[in-house]
Every structure is written in structure tokens, then in C-alpha cells.
Amino acid sequence: MLVKNAKFFLGGKITEKDILIEGEMIKSLGHFSGDGIDASGCLVLPGLIDAHVHLRDPGATQKEDFHSGTRAAIAGGITTVLDMPNNNPPTTTLERLEEKRALASRKAVCDYGFHFGAGADNFGEIRRAGPGSLKIYMGKTTGDLSLPDEKLIFLHFQNFPKERPIVVHAEDQTIMDAEGRTPLAAQVAVAKAAMLAEKSGRTICIAHASTAKEAELAKKWKKSFVETCPHYLFLEEKKIAQLGSFGNVYPPVRGEAERKKFWAALGSVDYVSTDHAPHLPEEKEGGAAGFPGLETSLALMLDAYNRKQIRMEWIISRMCENPARIFNIRGKGKIAPGFQADLVLVDLKKEWKVRAESMQSKCGWTPYEGMSLKGKAEKAVFRGKLVLDGGEIIEEARGREVML
């Protein structure tokens, strides 16, 4: 396959070359004769990597599963997802991990990986499973994986291989019990996690940071990485109030002043994920927490780029390169020979409105309903096959587990 007239970032600068693909891999960059996919008018990005999704499979497939969720990913320009462990039952044993692997191998149409859940007494299962990453929930959230005991957290920090990241949902349960999910609850938990990580000399990732202060506190330890999500950058409390129970998410979306501070501190954010957490409307009305986000995350960032709020290099590093590096995903995140042929062709001039009715996710709603955006994934190549064309999925390829 050839991708002709491709404009993409190479060595920090936009270049225009053809991309020669052989099988599933990028073979060469240059100028080649022959027909192929014409990328004229588009900017070509590496396929995005979303390191934080909840695909609800097994246990809650009425609202998402590996098939619908990975279709949503492809539609949003995302070619690799890492699934979280707080299913019912949770992914805390080798048996549960193997169950997920079997389901994903049959259903997923993009590549995938799995975070493993840390419990109070599953140290032996973690050693048996040998996962590429571990997830610790410092406070209560969706599911039953809360682990507020600092001694147990520290034991996991000490025992899990230091070169593999531990992802932390950082909300302090004591403060939440006293005053709710305030910024202080998140900030105190981040400070504790960074301190324990420094003491144990290990790498951690702070999941879904919602304030600039969280990023600042995390960075007091040199091996802390900070994740944020689009809803903390593009939504604020007044908008959330209009959504009623549909605006419920953990951690909560903060006020406008906090949002602006966070934009000013984006240099301290290492990667952007969606925390795609779909629930059906009736579940949201009952208080379920979480937003769908796979089909809007890139488009929101492209719109911000068009508004000159953010640089394209930042988008590529935080949504492609850094997730691959942080989670040890080889051969992804860059457009270069020897890398997997995962590409997304974006039309930066495409103006469109977000409509849940046109989305792939089963949940049937979005917090961005009716928002006008400029910029969209028009084509996607996954493992050397054109799978998205004109914004529509035209072929389903078979996804594989990434080697974390």
C-alpha cells in the first residue's frame, strides 16, 4: 500500500512524502510511483493510543463491549486502547485476565492491552499474570477495587516490577468521606502517591488529573507521569450542571477558573486519554459516573489546534508517542520505517457537529452533543489496511494484544 502526498511531522517539522507500507508495517518514506491512498488536503498522524478505557466486557456488555468500543476507537482515529480492570468481576486474577483476552481476541477491531487490578491480597496472582501495568484505586469509584490502605499501596509499589508503570486513581477516601470529591481529595492523594513512589523508586501514572495542582504535585517525583482527559479541558461546572445526572464523572469536572489554570499547565501533562466510561441513559439517570469519549477526543484537540490553543506537536506527543513510550508498546506512536502501519488522516478544515446518533458506542449519548468542531479523522489505516474512509468504517480488521 502507498499513502501518497502525505504531510506529517518528521523530526519536529512537517514534511511531505509518500508512505510505503508492506504488510502491516511502514517500510519506507520517500517518493514512489504507483497509485495509493491520496492524503492531499489531510495531515497524517500516527494512530492514536488511548491508555485509559472501560470497555465493559465482560459484565456490562449492554453498554459497551470489545467490538462496539473498538469500533468507536477506530472512528475517532484511535488504533490502540488499554482497558481498565474494574469490571464485574474485576481483572484481579490470571483467570479473569485470560477471560478478557479470549473475548477481545474474537471481538476487537483495533489493538488492545489490559491493566491489571491491585487488590488487598492478590500479590500472587499479579506475579502469575505478569501484566504490563497495574491499576490502583486509592478511593471508592465504579466497581469494588478501592485500596485506601497506604501500607498495601506501598507493598504493591515495592513488589511490582519497577520498569512497568502503576496507574493510580488518586482520590483520598478520608477527605471524600468528609467533603466529597473536591480538588483537595485528588491533590492529597496525588501527593501521597508521589511520595510513596519516590520512597519505592518506581514509575507511576496519575490517572485523569483534573487540576493543575495535581500535575504540580505529581511532578515532585521524577518518575511520575500525568494523564488528563478531554472533559477536564473542554467542559466546566456550569456546562456540567446543565447535563444534570449525565454530568456525573469521577473525578468531577472542575470550575472555569481551574480549567483555565490547567490549560496554562499543559506542559506538565504527559499523555491524554479519554477515560471512556460509557453508561446507558437510564444508568446515568440513576447516578452512574463516567463519560464516553473515544469518538470525540481527537476532534476536540484538533478544534483547539484550529483555535490556536495548542500546538500539533503537543497533540502528537501526548496522544501517540508518549503513551507508547510510557506503557512500553513497541512499534507504535510514530510514522517511521519499522513501525506498525497505523495512520490517521485528519481533515483540519472539516466542520461538523457532534451527534450521538451517528456514533459507534452503545451508550447512545455524549456530553458534547451539538458542539460545533473543526477537524476530524477522515481516513484510518490499521495494520496496513484502510479501515476508515470518509469518516465511516469500511472494513473491520482483527485487533491483537499489544505486548506491554
Side-chain angles (χ1 to χ4, degrees), residues 359-376:
M359 292 186 171
Q360 300 294 326
S361 175
K362 286 185 181 183
C363 72
W365 71 279
T366 169
Y368 307 103
E369 182 71 35
M371 185 178 288
S372 296
L373 299 177
K374 187 176 182 181
K376 197 172 190 295

Side-chain angles (χ1 to χ4, degrees), residues 375-395:
K376 197 172 190 295
E378 282 296 295
K379 300 177 188 288
V381 174
F382 169 60
R383 289 189 173 271
K385 292 183 178 180
L386 182 66
V387 294
L388 185 78
D389 193 9
E392 300 292 332
I393 295 174
I394 61 167
E395 182 174 347

Side-chain angles (χ1 to χ4, degrees), residues 4 12 17-18 25 41 68 74 86 110 127 193 206 251 268 272 337:
K4 302 283 289 183
K17 295 178 183 288
D18 300 336
M25 310 300 288
S68 64
I74 290 292
N86 58 333
C110 77
R127 285 192 294 272
I206 299 299
S268 59
V272 174

Side-chain angles (χ1 to χ4, degrees), residues 2-15:
L2 270 177
V3 179
K4 302 283 289 183
N5 310 310
K7 290 184 179 179
F8 57 95
F9 275 86
L10 183 66
K13 297 180 180 179
I14 289 184
T15 187

Side-chain angles (χ1 to χ4, degrees), residues 117 125 194 206 285 303 325 331:
E125 289 292 336
I206 299 299
E285 289 167 358
D303 188 74
R325 174 174 57 85

Side-chain angles (χ1 to χ4, degrees), residues 160-171:
F160 196 65
K162 298 294 194 295
E163 70 278 6
R164 298 184 179 189
I166 291 180
V167 180
V168 180
H169 179 122
E171 289 184 290

